[in-house]
Amino acid sequence: QQQVKQSPQSLIVQKGGISIINCAYENTAFDYFPWYQQFPGKGPALLIAIRPDVSEKKEGRFTISFNKSAKQFSLHIMDSQPGDSATYFCAARIRGGATNKLIFGTGTLLAVQP
Amino acid sequence: DSGVTQTPKHLITATGQRVTLRCSPRSGDLSVYWYQQSLDQGLQFLIQYYNGEERAKGNILERFSAQQFPDLHSELNLSSLELGDSALYFCASSVGMGGGADEQFFGRGSRLSVL
C-alpha cells in the first residue's frame, strides 16, 4: 500500500502550546520520511526529515518521533507560534534509489492563536 | 525563494482545451518532479524526469504528458481538459535521481482553473 494517512485534518493550538500531527503508513519499503510546511500562495518547503533507523530527530522547536514497529511517525511543534500557522504535510519515499518520488499525506491545517 | 520557477501563476481555460505549464529547476538540479494538488486529493505525484529521461510515473492521466528539455526545464502538457483537472500544479527539483537525502525544492505552483 503506497498510502500515508495523516491526522488531524485541522488543528487549533494556543500560542506557546504543543502542536502534534500524526502519520501512519503500511509499506515497509519506505526509507525516508520528510515533513513539509506550506504557507498560502507558496509551494511546500522541507521542514525536517527522518530515516527509519532513528527514533527521534529534533531541529529547534520541531521534533519528529518515529515508531518503526507501529509504522507511525509524528511531528511535534513545541512552543507553537502564530507564524507556525500553515499546512503541514508528512511524506514518505520508497527505498531503492531509482526514484525520489514522494507519497504525501493529506495535510493538516494548523492555526496557532495568539 | 526556492529557486524553482513556474509559469504561468494562474491559468483560466475552458473544458476541452489544452495548456502547457512550464518549470525551470534550481541551478544544478537534474531532476524535475510534477505534483498535482487538489482539495480532495492532496498532493499527488505525477511524474519525474532526470536529466531528460523519465524516471518514475505516478497517477498521471493519459491526457497529460511531460518532458524535460536539454536545458533541464520541463513542461507539463494537459489536454482535453475537464472540470476535475482544476488544481494547483507544482514542480519540484532536486540534485539527484533518488536515494540519500535528496531534498526536493518546490516552486510556487501554477493554478489551473477549468471552466
Side-chain angles (χ1 to χ4, degrees), chain A residues 4-11 19-25 31-39 43-52 54-59 61-67 71-77 84 86-93 102-110, chain B residues 43 101-106:
Chain A
V4 178
K5 295 183 180 178
Q6 184 172 348
S7 63
Q9 196 171 359
S10 63
L11 183 60
S19 303
I20 302 175
I21 304 171
N22 301 299
C23 286
Y25 64 97
D31 73 338
Y32 175 69
F33 300 87
W35 283 88
Y36 279 80
Q37 179 188 55
Q38 184 179 21
F39 293 103
L46 180 66
L47 188 62
I48 186 173
I50 198 168
R51 291 188 173 280
V54 175
S55 62
E56 185 175 282
K57 183 173 181 180
K58 185 175 180 178
E59 288 184 4
R61 295 184 295 108
F62 300 91
T63 300
I64 301 178
S65 297
F66 191 89
N67 187 329
K71 297 180 196 167
Q72 294 175 348
F73 58 111
S74 59
L75 176 70
H76 295 234
I77 306 174
D84 296 331
T87 300
Y88 292 82
F89 294 93
C90 61
R93 184 188 67 194
L102 294 173
I103 310 298
F104 281 89
T106 49
T108 296
L109 180 61
L110 171 65
Chain B
L43 268 165
D102 193 25
E103 180 180 348
Q104 293 183 34
F105 293 84
F106 282 75

Side-chain angles (χ1 to χ4, degrees), chain A residues 42 51 93 98-100, chain B residues 33 48 55 100 102 104 108:
Chain A
K42 299 272 185 86
R51 291 188 173 280
R93 184 188 67 194
T99 176
N100 203 19
Chain B
Y33 312 79
Q48 176 195 357
R55 292 298 305 183
D102 193 25
Q104 293 183 34
R108 292 189 167 217

Side-chain angles (χ1 to χ4, degrees), chain B residues 59-74:
Chain B
N59 299 323
I60 186 167
L61 300 171
E62 284 192 13
R63 300 183 286 108
F64 296 0
S65 65
Q67 59 184 128
Q68 186 179 27
F69 295 86
D71 66 353
L72 301 177
H73 91 271
S74 177

